[in-house]
Amino acid sequence: IPDGFQKREAELRKAIELPPSYKNMVARDFRPEAGEPAILDFHRRLWGLYDPEKARDYMVANALAMEVIDQALARFLQSLKQMGIYDESWIIFTADHGEMNMHHALVDKGAYLHPDTQRVPLVIKPPVSLGAARGTVDAPVSLLDLGPTICDAAGVAPEERMDGISLIPYLRDPAKQGDRDLVFQNGWLSTGNPACGTQRWERNGRHHFFVHNLGSVSDEVYDLNDPDARNVASEPQAQPLRRELSQRMFAILEKDPRWSGYRTAFRFQHYADLKKG
């Protein structure tokens, strides 16, 4: 427990509840769910957080870490204000990855793709002189967009090889929205599970995340509006959606030669979804 946070730790311990998906895994005696890729069960076993109290310890530690960061950020922002440079400063707050935080009895990141590990906070405070409107952007953006955004703010034209787009138009008009072809991937890390995925964003609020694991025959499909982030890829009623998303994934892989390592295997494993006629 960080020094000075003992009282806060006790408060958090009383307030934090294990997510419903963890409780569902307890009820299943931690047996894998139907259609679950083997990598998820492997990682669950790797950590072995089967004791609910140990699981809550992890969640409390996570929450305390965030509060330590919050206090450090508060001091940093206050210093900018004291120096008189806060208003005209660019401030970008984000993270390099998300965290399962006991959803589906999983923790950590990096060995598999999941909405909880891919989603990160992103808050941008531009200079007052930019005239940006305060608001929330619902459209999909990527960490790859930060480089072009910073270059744009500095008046530097990014080299063509940079991926991503400048987010300054979003800052000027938060209502500016549209779907994008984004590829998510993870490599080998500790388990050897190369995987790729993509998202689909619709103006009607239906947003989905698709995952293809090279080391598994099971796809993953998540409704991004589902707080429980449940994989529905094996459910009969989700098959039209799974096929549609697999076709979208392959079309994206075909566009860029950098994804050739995924493309051939994907074509073989999804032949039935991709064949025409």
Side-chain angles (χ1 to χ4, degrees):
I1 303 172
D3 189 38
F5 282 80
Q6 286 81 2
K7 180 180 178 181
R8 185 59 178 150
E9 187 269 347
E11 293 171 346
L12 289 169
R13 189 169 293 280
K14 291 179 181 178
I16 285 177
E17 289 284 342
L18 289 165
S21 59
Y22 182 93
K23 296 175 181 178
N24 289 340
M25 291 304 299
V26 171
R28 298 174 58 83
D29 196 25
F30 294 94
R31 292 188 302 273
E33 298 177 282
E36 182 179 82
I39 184 64
L40 298 185
D41 188 51
F42 175 86
H43 217 62
R44 190 179 294 121
R45 292 169 181 267
L46 193 67
W47 279 88
L49 289 166
Y50 302 130
D51 179 358
E53 284 308 305
K54 291 290 184 185
R56 289 180 73 250
D57 285 345
Y58 188 96
M59 294 182 69
V60 170
N62 250 3
L64 282 172
M66 297 305 103
E67 297 207 5
V68 170
I69 292 171
D70 283 348
Q71 288 201 9
L73 286 172
R75 287 199 287 268
F76 170 71
L77 297 178
Q78 186 59 35
S79 295
L80 295 182
K81 293 176 181 178
Q82 291 172 352
M83 296 167 65
I85 59 175
Y86 175 83
D87 287 347
E88 285 304 305
S89 292
W90 280 91
I91 300 172
I92 300 175
F93 175 80
T94 188
D96 60 336
H97 58 77
E99 159 65 48
M100 294 301 293
N101 204 27
M102 283 303 149
H103 283 182
H104 305 282
L106 289 161
V107 296
D108 210 356
K109 47 74 187 177
Y112 49 83
L113 293 179
H114 187 278
D116 285 354
T117 67
Q118 303 306 300
R119 281 173 156 169
V120 298
L122 177 57
V123 180
I124 301 178
K125 187 211 79 68
V128 172
S129 58
L130 188 72
R134 180 187 295 266
T136 299
V137 175
D138 184 49
V141 300
S142 167
L143 290 177
L144 293 174
D145 298 331
L146 295 184
T149 300
I150 293 169
C151 287
D152 191 6
V156 176
E159 296 182 19
E160 187 177 353
R161 64 179 175 82
M162 289 187 74
D163 290 312
I165 60 174
S166 172
L167 298 179
I168 289 181
Y170 288 93
L171 299 175
R172 290 198 170 104
D173 181 9
K176 183 180 177 64
Q177 299 179 352
D179 197 10
R180 293 172 62 189
D181 289 339
L182 298 176
V183 176
F184 302 81
Q185 74 160 131
N186 65 257
W188 293 91
L189 199 66
S190 59
T191 53
N193 177 57
C196 61
T198 190
Q199 58 79 48
R200 185 185 66 180
W201 181 94
E202 297 184 54
R203 291 185 181 275
N204 61 10
R206 296 180 67 241
H207 313 323
H208 294 93
F209 190 72
F210 174 85
V211 181
H212 166 61
N213 297 284
L214 268 69
S216 173
V217 297
S218 300
D219 289 332
E220 298 169 69
V221 175
Y222 299 96
D223 180 343
L224 293 179
N225 293 315
D226 176 10
D228 217 21
R230 187 172 52 89
N231 177 20
V232 300
S234 65
E235 297 181 0
Q237 64 271 25
Q239 293 316 297
L241 173 63
R242 187 196 60 76
R243 284 191 293 271
E244 180 182 344
L245 292 176
S246 67
Q247 291 166 3
R248 176 187 176 96
M249 181 84 251
F250 186 70
I252 294 172
L253 295 177
E254 278 197 310
K255 290 179 182 178
D256 193 326
R258 290 176 295 180
W259 304 122
S260 60
Y262 290 108
R263 190 168 57 240
T264 301
F266 192 93
R267 182 189 289 116
F268 277 119
Q269 292 191 22
H270 294 80
Y271 172 78
D273 296 333
L274 303 176
K275 67 179 181 180
K276 299 178 180 179

PDB file of all heavy atoms in Angstrom, residues 47-76:
ATOM      1  N   TRP A  47      -2.010 -17.091 -14.128  1.00  0.00           N
ATOM      2  CA  TRP A  47      -2.108 -16.228 -12.963  1.00  0.00           C
ATOM      3  C   TRP A  47      -2.746 -16.928 -11.770  1.00  0.00           C
ATOM      4  O   TRP A  47      -2.387 -16.664 -10.627  1.00  0.00           O
ATOM      5  CB  TRP A  47      -2.897 -14.965 -13.318  1.00  0.00           C
ATOM      6  CG  TRP A  47      -2.071 -13.940 -14.013  1.00  0.00           C
ATOM      7  CD1 TRP A  47      -1.848 -13.836 -15.364  1.00  0.00           C
ATOM      8  CD2 TRP A  47      -1.328 -12.896 -13.418  1.00  0.00           C
ATOM      9  NE1 TRP A  47      -1.015 -12.778 -15.640  1.00  0.00           N
ATOM     10  CE2 TRP A  47      -0.686 -12.178 -14.458  1.00  0.00           C
ATOM     11  CE3 TRP A  47      -1.136 -12.477 -12.100  1.00  0.00           C
ATOM     12  CZ2 TRP A  47       0.133 -11.071 -14.218  1.00  0.00           C
ATOM     13  CZ3 TRP A  47      -0.332 -11.366 -11.868  1.00  0.00           C
ATOM     14  CH2 TRP A  47       0.292 -10.686 -12.913  1.00  0.00           C
ATOM     15  N   GLY A  48      -3.697 -17.795 -12.035  1.00  0.00           N
ATOM     16  CA  GLY A  48      -4.285 -18.593 -10.959  1.00  0.00           C
ATOM     17  C   GLY A  48      -5.008 -17.804  -9.887  1.00  0.00           C
ATOM     18  O   GLY A  48      -4.958 -18.173  -8.708  1.00  0.00           O
ATOM     19  N   LEU A  49      -5.699 -16.733 -10.262  1.00  0.00           N
ATOM     20  CA  LEU A  49      -6.403 -15.918  -9.274  1.00  0.00           C
ATOM     21  C   LEU A  49      -7.807 -16.477  -9.052  1.00  0.00           C
ATOM     22  O   LEU A  49      -8.818 -15.853  -9.378  1.00  0.00           O
ATOM     23  CB  LEU A  49      -6.435 -14.461  -9.735  1.00  0.00           C
ATOM     24  CG  LEU A  49      -5.072 -13.769  -9.666  1.00  0.00           C
ATOM     25  CD1 LEU A  49      -5.093 -12.456 -10.439  1.00  0.00           C
ATOM     26  CD2 LEU A  49      -4.659 -13.520  -8.224  1.00  0.00           C
ATOM     27  N   TYR A  50      -7.844 -17.681  -8.497  1.00  0.00           N
ATOM     28  CA  TYR A  50      -9.120 -18.381  -8.291  1.00  0.00           C
ATOM     29  C   TYR A  50      -9.768 -18.026  -6.955  1.00  0.00           C
ATOM     30  O   TYR A  50     -10.939 -18.289  -6.749  1.00  0.00           O
ATOM     31  CB  TYR A  50      -8.896 -19.890  -8.352  1.00  0.00           C
ATOM     32  CG  TYR A  50      -8.292 -20.368  -9.656  1.00  0.00           C
ATOM     33  CD1 TYR A  50      -7.178 -21.210  -9.669  1.00  0.00           C
ATOM     34  CD2 TYR A  50      -8.828 -19.976 -10.877  1.00  0.00           C
ATOM     35  CE1 TYR A  50      -6.627 -21.649 -10.866  1.00  0.00           C
ATOM     36  CE2 TYR A  50      -8.287 -20.399 -12.072  1.00  0.00           C
ATOM     37  CZ  TYR A  50      -7.178 -21.236 -12.052  1.00  0.00           C
ATOM     38  OH  TYR A  50      -6.640 -21.663 -13.242  1.00  0.00           O
ATOM     39  N   ASP A  51      -9.008 -17.466  -6.032  1.00  0.00           N
ATOM     40  CA  ASP A  51      -9.534 -17.073  -4.733  1.00  0.00           C
ATOM     41  C   ASP A  51     -10.133 -15.665  -4.849  1.00  0.00           C
ATOM     42  O   ASP A  51      -9.414 -14.705  -5.162  1.00  0.00           O
ATOM     43  CB  ASP A  51      -8.400 -17.084  -3.706  1.00  0.00           C
ATOM     44  CG  ASP A  51      -8.864 -16.645  -2.316  1.00  0.00           C
ATOM     45  OD1 ASP A  51     -10.052 -16.293  -2.165  1.00  0.00           O
ATOM     46  OD2 ASP A  51      -8.030 -16.640  -1.392  1.00  0.00           O
ATOM     47  N   PRO A  52     -11.430 -15.512  -4.613  1.00  0.00           N
ATOM     48  CA  PRO A  52     -12.053 -14.182  -4.763  1.00  0.00           C
ATOM     49  C   PRO A  52     -11.380 -13.084  -3.956  1.00  0.00           C
ATOM     50  O   PRO A  52     -11.309 -11.940  -4.412  1.00  0.00           O
ATOM     51  CB  PRO A  52     -13.498 -14.426  -4.307  1.00  0.00           C
ATOM     52  CG  PRO A  52     -13.743 -15.873  -4.627  1.00  0.00           C
ATOM     53  CD  PRO A  52     -12.437 -16.549  -4.340  1.00  0.00           C
ATOM     54  N   GLU A  53     -10.881 -13.407  -2.778  1.00  0.00           N
ATOM     55  CA  GLU A  53     -10.229 -12.372  -1.979  1.00  0.00           C
ATOM     56  C   GLU A  53      -8.907 -11.940  -2.605  1.00  0.00           C
ATOM     57  O   GLU A  53      -8.548 -10.766  -2.578  1.00  0.00           O
ATOM     58  CB  GLU A  53     -10.025 -12.858  -0.540  1.00  0.00           C
ATOM     59  CG  GLU A  53     -11.291 -12.836   0.288  1.00  0.00           C
ATOM     60  CD  GLU A  53     -11.995 -11.473   0.231  1.00  0.00           C
ATOM     61  OE1 GLU A  53     -11.344 -10.442   0.546  1.00  0.00           O
ATOM     62  OE2 GLU A  53     -13.184 -11.430  -0.137  1.00  0.00           O
ATOM     63  N   LYS A  54      -8.165 -12.893  -3.166  1.00  0.00           N
ATOM     64  CA  LYS A  54      -6.933 -12.533  -3.865  1.00  0.00           C
ATOM     65  C   LYS A  54      -7.263 -11.694  -5.108  1.00  0.00           C
ATOM     66  O   LYS A  54      -6.538 -10.761  -5.457  1.00  0.00           O
ATOM     67  CB  LYS A  54      -6.176 -13.791  -4.282  1.00  0.00           C
ATOM     68  CG  LYS A  54      -5.586 -14.585  -3.127  1.00  0.00           C
ATOM     69  CD  LYS A  54      -4.433 -13.845  -2.483  1.00  0.00           C
ATOM     70  CE  LYS A  54      -3.784 -14.691  -1.400  1.00  0.00           C
ATOM     71  NZ  LYS A  54      -2.719 -13.924  -0.688  1.00  0.00           N
ATOM     72  N   ALA A  55      -8.366 -12.040  -5.759  1.00  0.00           N
ATOM     73  CA  ALA A  55      -8.789 -11.275  -6.934  1.00  0.00           C
ATOM     74  C   ALA A  55      -9.144  -9.840  -6.547  1.00  0.00           C
ATOM     75  O   ALA A  55      -8.792  -8.881  -7.244  1.00  0.00           O
ATOM     76  CB  ALA A  55      -9.978 -11.959  -7.599  1.00  0.00           C
ATOM     77  N   ARG A  56      -9.830  -9.671  -5.418  1.00  0.00           N
ATOM     78  CA  ARG A  56     -10.163  -8.325  -4.945  1.00  0.00           C
ATOM     79  C   ARG A  56      -8.899  -7.567  -4.543  1.00  0.00           C
ATOM     80  O   ARG A  56      -8.799  -6.351  -4.738  1.00  0.00           O
ATOM     81  CB  ARG A  56     -11.154  -8.393  -3.782  1.00  0.00           C
ATOM     82  CG  ARG A  56     -12.548  -8.831  -4.205  1.00  0.00           C
ATOM     83  CD  ARG A  56     -13.522  -8.892  -3.053  1.00  0.00           C
ATOM     84  NE  ARG A  56     -13.909  -7.559  -2.619  1.00  0.00           N
ATOM     85  CZ  ARG A  56     -13.538  -7.008  -1.461  1.00  0.00           C
ATOM     86  NH1 ARG A  56     -12.752  -7.670  -0.628  1.00  0.00           N
ATOM     87  NH2 ARG A  56     -13.952  -5.812  -1.127  1.00  0.00           N
ATOM     88  N   ASP A  57      -7.900  -8.269  -3.981  1.00  0.00           N
ATOM     89  CA  ASP A  57      -6.617  -7.634  -3.670  1.00  0.00           C
ATOM     90  C   ASP A  57      -6.028  -6.993  -4.924  1.00  0.00           C
ATOM     91  O   ASP A  57      -5.494  -5.881  -4.887  1.00  0.00           O
ATOM     92  CB  ASP A  57      -5.618  -8.660  -3.112  1.00  0.00           C
ATOM     93  CG  ASP A  57      -5.921  -9.060  -1.680  1.00  0.00           C
ATOM     94  OD1 ASP A  57      -6.707  -8.360  -1.019  1.00  0.00           O
ATOM     95  OD2 ASP A  57      -5.366 -10.079  -1.236  1.00  0.00           O
ATOM     96  N   TYR A  58      -6.108  -7.737  -6.023  1.00  0.00           N
ATOM     97  CA  TYR A  58      -5.557  -7.239  -7.293  1.00  0.00           C
ATOM     98  C   TYR A  58      -6.296  -5.982  -7.742  1.00  0.00           C
ATOM     99  O   TYR A  58      -5.681  -4.993  -8.146  1.00  0.00           O
ATOM    100  CB  TYR A  58      -5.670  -8.332  -8.359  1.00  0.00           C
ATOM    101  CG  TYR A  58      -4.973  -7.995  -9.659  1.00  0.00           C
ATOM    102  CD1 TYR A  58      -3.677  -8.435  -9.918  1.00  0.00           C
ATOM    103  CD2 TYR A  58      -5.620  -7.250 -10.638  1.00  0.00           C
ATOM    104  CE1 TYR A  58      -3.037  -8.123 -11.111  1.00  0.00           C
ATOM    105  CE2 TYR A  58      -4.995  -6.930 -11.830  1.00  0.00           C
ATOM    106  CZ  TYR A  58      -3.704  -7.369 -12.064  1.00  0.00           C
ATOM    107  OH  TYR A  58      -3.085  -7.051 -13.242  1.00  0.00           O
ATOM    108  N   MET A  59      -7.614  -6.021  -7.660  1.00  0.00           N
ATOM    109  CA  MET A  59      -8.411  -4.872  -8.093  1.00  0.00           C
ATOM    110  C   MET A  59      -8.163  -3.650  -7.215  1.00  0.00           C
ATOM    111  O   MET A  59      -8.087  -2.520  -7.700  1.00  0.00           O
ATOM    112  CB  MET A  59      -9.892  -5.241  -8.105  1.00  0.00           C
ATOM    113  CG  MET A  59     -10.262  -6.302  -9.137  1.00  0.00           C
ATOM    114  SD  MET A  59     -12.034  -6.665  -9.168  1.00  0.00           S
ATOM    115  CE  MET A  59     -12.696  -5.134  -9.835  1.00  0.00           C
ATOM    116  N   VAL A  60      -8.027  -3.869  -5.911  1.00  0.00           N
ATOM    117  CA  VAL A  60      -7.738  -2.763  -4.998  1.00  0.00           C
ATOM    118  C   VAL A  60      -6.372  -2.159  -5.316  1.00  0.00           C
ATOM    119  O   VAL A  60      -6.204  -0.934  -5.347  1.00  0.00           O
ATOM    120  CB  VAL A  60      -7.799  -3.242  -3.534  1.00  0.00           C
ATOM    121  CG1 VAL A  60      -7.268  -2.165  -2.590  1.00  0.00           C
ATOM    122  CG2 VAL A  60      -9.239  -3.614  -3.158  1.00  0.00           C
ATOM    123  N   ALA A  61      -5.384  -3.024  -5.574  1.00  0.00           N
ATOM    124  CA  ALA A  61      -4.049  -2.525  -5.914  1.00  0.00           C
ATOM    125  C   ALA A  61      -4.087  -1.705  -7.198  1.00  0.00           C
ATOM    126  O   ALA A  61      -3.421  -0.663  -7.308  1.00  0.00           O
ATOM    127  CB  ALA A  61      -3.083  -3.707  -6.058  1.00  0.00           C
ATOM    128  N   ASN A  62      -4.869  -2.159  -8.174  1.00  0.00           N
ATOM    129  CA  ASN A  62      -5.026  -1.410  -9.421  1.00  0.00           C
ATOM    130  C   ASN A  62      -5.612  -0.031  -9.158  1.00  0.00           C
ATOM    131  O   ASN A  62      -5.152   0.984  -9.682  1.00  0.00           O
ATOM    132  CB  ASN A  62      -5.940  -2.180 -10.375  1.00  0.00           C
ATOM    133  CG  ASN A  62      -5.195  -2.750 -11.561  1.00  0.00           C
ATOM    134  OD1 ASN A  62      -3.983  -2.628 -11.674  1.00  0.00           O
ATOM    135  ND2 ASN A  62      -5.925  -3.375 -12.461  1.00  0.00           N
ATOM    136  N   ALA A  63      -6.667   0.013  -8.359  1.00  0.00           N
ATOM    137  CA  ALA A  63      -7.328   1.279  -8.062  1.00  0.00           C
ATOM    138  C   ALA A  63      -6.383   2.231  -7.320  1.00  0.00           C
ATOM    139  O   ALA A  63      -6.353   3.438  -7.602  1.00  0.00           O
ATOM    140  CB  ALA A  63      -8.592   1.028  -7.246  1.00  0.00           C
ATOM    141  N   LEU A  64      -5.599   1.705  -6.382  1.00  0.00           N
ATOM    142  CA  LEU A  64      -4.648   2.534  -5.649  1.00  0.00           C
ATOM    143  C   LEU A  64      -3.585   3.104  -6.588  1.00  0.00           C
ATOM    144  O   LEU A  64      -3.187   4.266  -6.474  1.00  0.00           O
ATOM    145  CB  LEU A  64      -3.979   1.730  -4.537  1.00  0.00           C
ATOM    146  CG  LEU A  64      -4.813   1.511  -3.268  1.00  0.00           C
ATOM    147  CD1 LEU A  64      -4.098   0.539  -2.338  1.00  0.00           C
ATOM    148  CD2 LEU A  64      -5.067   2.826  -2.554  1.00  0.00           C
ATOM    149  N   ALA A  65      -3.130   2.282  -7.524  1.00  0.00           N
ATOM    150  CA  ALA A  65      -2.126   2.755  -8.485  1.00  0.00           C
ATOM    151  C   ALA A  65      -2.676   3.923  -9.295  1.00  0.00           C
ATOM    152  O   ALA A  65      -1.968   4.913  -9.555  1.00  0.00           O
ATOM    153  CB  ALA A  65      -1.702   1.614  -9.410  1.00  0.00           C
ATOM    154  N   MET A  66      -3.947   3.836  -9.697  1.00  0.00           N
ATOM    155  CA  MET A  66      -4.562   4.925 -10.453  1.00  0.00           C
ATOM    156  C   MET A  66      -4.662   6.196  -9.608  1.00  0.00           C
ATOM    157  O   MET A  66      -4.478   7.311 -10.101  1.00  0.00           O
ATOM    158  CB  MET A  66      -5.957   4.520 -10.936  1.00  0.00           C
ATOM    159  CG  MET A  66      -5.991   3.344 -11.915  1.00  0.00           C
ATOM    160  SD  MET A  66      -4.964   3.590 -13.377  1.00  0.00           S
ATOM    161  CE  MET A  66      -3.547   2.570 -12.960  1.00  0.00           C
ATOM    162  N   GLU A  67      -4.942   6.047  -8.319  1.00  0.00           N
ATOM    163  CA  GLU A  67      -5.073   7.227  -7.471  1.00  0.00           C
ATOM    164  C   GLU A  67      -3.719   7.889  -7.214  1.00  0.00           C
ATOM    165  O   GLU A  67      -3.628   9.114  -7.099  1.00  0.00           O
ATOM    166  CB  GLU A  67      -5.768   6.843  -6.161  1.00  0.00           C
ATOM    167  CG  GLU A  67      -7.194   6.343  -6.391  1.00  0.00           C
ATOM    168  CD  GLU A  67      -8.098   6.559  -5.206  1.00  0.00           C
ATOM    169  OE1 GLU A  67      -7.673   7.176  -4.210  1.00  0.00           O
ATOM    170  OE2 GLU A  67      -9.271   6.132  -5.283  1.00  0.00           O
ATOM    171  N   VAL A  68      -2.657   7.088  -7.137  1.00  0.00           N
ATOM    172  CA  VAL A  68      -1.310   7.657  -7.018  1.00  0.00           C
ATOM    173  C   VAL A  68      -0.993   8.494  -8.261  1.00  0.00           C
ATOM    174  O   VAL A  68      -0.466   9.615  -8.175  1.00  0.00           O
ATOM    175  CB  VAL A  68      -0.260   6.548  -6.829  1.00  0.00           C
ATOM    176  CG1 VAL A  68       1.154   7.116  -6.956  1.00  0.00           C
ATOM    177  CG2 VAL A  68      -0.427   5.879  -5.470  1.00  0.00           C
ATOM    178  N   ILE A  69      -1.328   7.943  -9.435  1.00  0.00           N
ATOM    179  CA  ILE A  69      -1.103   8.670 -10.683  1.00  0.00           C
ATOM    180  C   ILE A  69      -1.943   9.949 -10.711  1.00  0.00           C
ATOM    181  O   ILE A  69      -1.474  11.016 -11.132  1.00  0.00           O
ATOM    182  CB  ILE A  69      -1.435   7.773 -11.894  1.00  0.00           C
ATOM    183  CG1 ILE A  69      -0.418   6.632 -11.989  1.00  0.00           C
ATOM    184  CG2 ILE A  69      -1.455   8.578 -13.191  1.00  0.00           C
ATOM    185  CD1 ILE A  69      -0.776   5.577 -13.008  1.00  0.00           C
ATOM    186  N   ASP A  70      -3.193   9.859 -10.265  1.00  0.00           N
ATOM    187  CA  ASP A  70      -4.065  11.037 -10.254  1.00  0.00           C
ATOM    188  C   ASP A  70      -3.450  12.165  -9.420  1.00  0.00           C
ATOM    189  O   ASP A  70      -3.495  13.343  -9.812  1.00  0.00           O
ATOM    190  CB  ASP A  70      -5.442  10.670  -9.689  1.00  0.00           C
ATOM    191  CG  ASP A  70      -6.303   9.912 -10.685  1.00  0.00           C
ATOM    192  OD1 ASP A  70      -5.923   9.869 -11.870  1.00  0.00           O
ATOM    193  OD2 ASP A  70      -7.337   9.367 -10.282  1.00  0.00           O
ATOM    194  N   GLN A  71      -2.894  11.816  -8.276  1.00  0.00           N
ATOM    195  CA  GLN A  71      -2.312  12.851  -7.416  1.00  0.00           C
ATOM    196  C   GLN A  71      -1.086  13.479  -8.071  1.00  0.00           C
ATOM    197  O   GLN A  71      -0.866  14.693  -7.980  1.00  0.00           O
ATOM    198  CB  GLN A  71      -1.957  12.260  -6.049  1.00  0.00           C
ATOM    199  CG  GLN A  71      -3.166  11.945  -5.192  1.00  0.00           C
ATOM    200  CD  GLN A  71      -2.839  11.862  -3.716  1.00  0.00           C
ATOM    201  OE1 GLN A  71      -1.741  12.205  -3.292  1.00  0.00           O
ATOM    202  NE2 GLN A  71      -3.801  11.415  -2.921  1.00  0.00           N
ATOM    203  N   ALA A  72      -0.274  12.642  -8.728  1.00  0.00           N
ATOM    204  CA  ALA A  72       0.905  13.164  -9.416  1.00  0.00           C
ATOM    205  C   ALA A  72       0.498  14.103 -10.555  1.00  0.00           C
ATOM    206  O   ALA A  72       1.101  15.169 -10.751  1.00  0.00           O
ATOM    207  CB  ALA A  72       1.757  12.012  -9.945  1.00  0.00           C
ATOM    208  N   LEU A  73      -0.539  13.718 -11.303  1.00  0.00           N
ATOM    209  CA  LEU A  73      -1.021  14.564 -12.396  1.00  0.00           C
ATOM    210  C   LEU A  73      -1.573  15.885 -11.864  1.00  0.00           C
ATOM    211  O   LEU A  73      -1.383  16.935 -12.477  1.00  0.00           O
ATOM    212  CB  LEU A  73      -2.103  13.833 -13.194  1.00  0.00           C
ATOM    213  CG  LEU A  73      -1.622  12.709 -14.107  1.00  0.00           C
ATOM    214  CD1 LEU A  73      -2.810  11.947 -14.685  1.00  0.00           C
ATOM    215  CD2 LEU A  73      -0.757  13.254 -15.234  1.00  0.00           C
ATOM    216  N   ALA A  74      -2.256  15.817 -10.736  1.00  0.00           N
ATOM    217  CA  ALA A  74      -2.805  17.045 -10.146  1.00  0.00           C
ATOM    218  C   ALA A  74      -1.688  18.028  -9.815  1.00  0.00           C
ATOM    219  O   ALA A  74      -1.812  19.242 -10.062  1.00  0.00           O
ATOM    220  CB  ALA A  74      -3.621  16.707  -8.903  1.00  0.00           C
ATOM    221  N   ARG A  75      -0.581  17.540  -9.269  1.00  0.00           N
ATOM    222  CA  ARG A  75       0.538  18.423  -8.936  1.00  0.00           C
ATOM    223  C   ARG A  75       1.165  19.002 -10.207  1.00  0.00           C
ATOM    224  O   ARG A  75       1.556  20.173 -10.247  1.00  0.00           O
ATOM    225  CB  ARG A  75       1.582  17.657  -8.115  1.00  0.00           C
ATOM    226  CG  ARG A  75       1.136  17.374  -6.695  1.00  0.00           C
ATOM    227  CD  ARG A  75       2.308  17.048  -5.808  1.00  0.00           C
ATOM    228  NE  ARG A  75       2.842  15.725  -6.078  1.00  0.00           N
ATOM    229  CZ  ARG A  75       2.474  14.617  -5.445  1.00  0.00           C
ATOM    230  NH1 ARG A  75       1.540  14.684  -4.498  1.00  0.00           N
ATOM    231  NH2 ARG A  75       3.024  13.464  -5.730  1.00  0.00           N
ATOM    232  N   PHE A  76       1.255  18.165 -11.242  1.00  0.00           N
ATOM    233  CA  PHE A  76       1.823  18.621 -12.516  1.00  0.00           C
ATOM    234  C   PHE A  76       0.966  19.737 -13.126  1.00  0.00           C
ATOM    235  O   PHE A  76       1.477  20.782 -13.541  1.00  0.00           O
ATOM    236  CB  PHE A  76       1.929  17.432 -13.472  1.00  0.00           C
ATOM    237  CG  PHE A  76       2.275  17.819 -14.885  1.00  0.00           C
ATOM    238  CD1 PHE A  76       3.540  18.289 -15.205  1.00  0.00           C
ATOM    239  CD2 PHE A  76       1.333  17.711 -15.892  1.00  0.00           C
ATOM    240  CE1 PHE A  76       3.851  18.656 -16.513  1.00  0.00           C
ATOM    241  CE2 PHE A  76       1.641  18.066 -17.211  1.00  0.00           C
ATOM    242  CZ  PHE A  76       2.908  18.540 -17.516  1.00  0.00           C
TER     243      PHE A  76
END
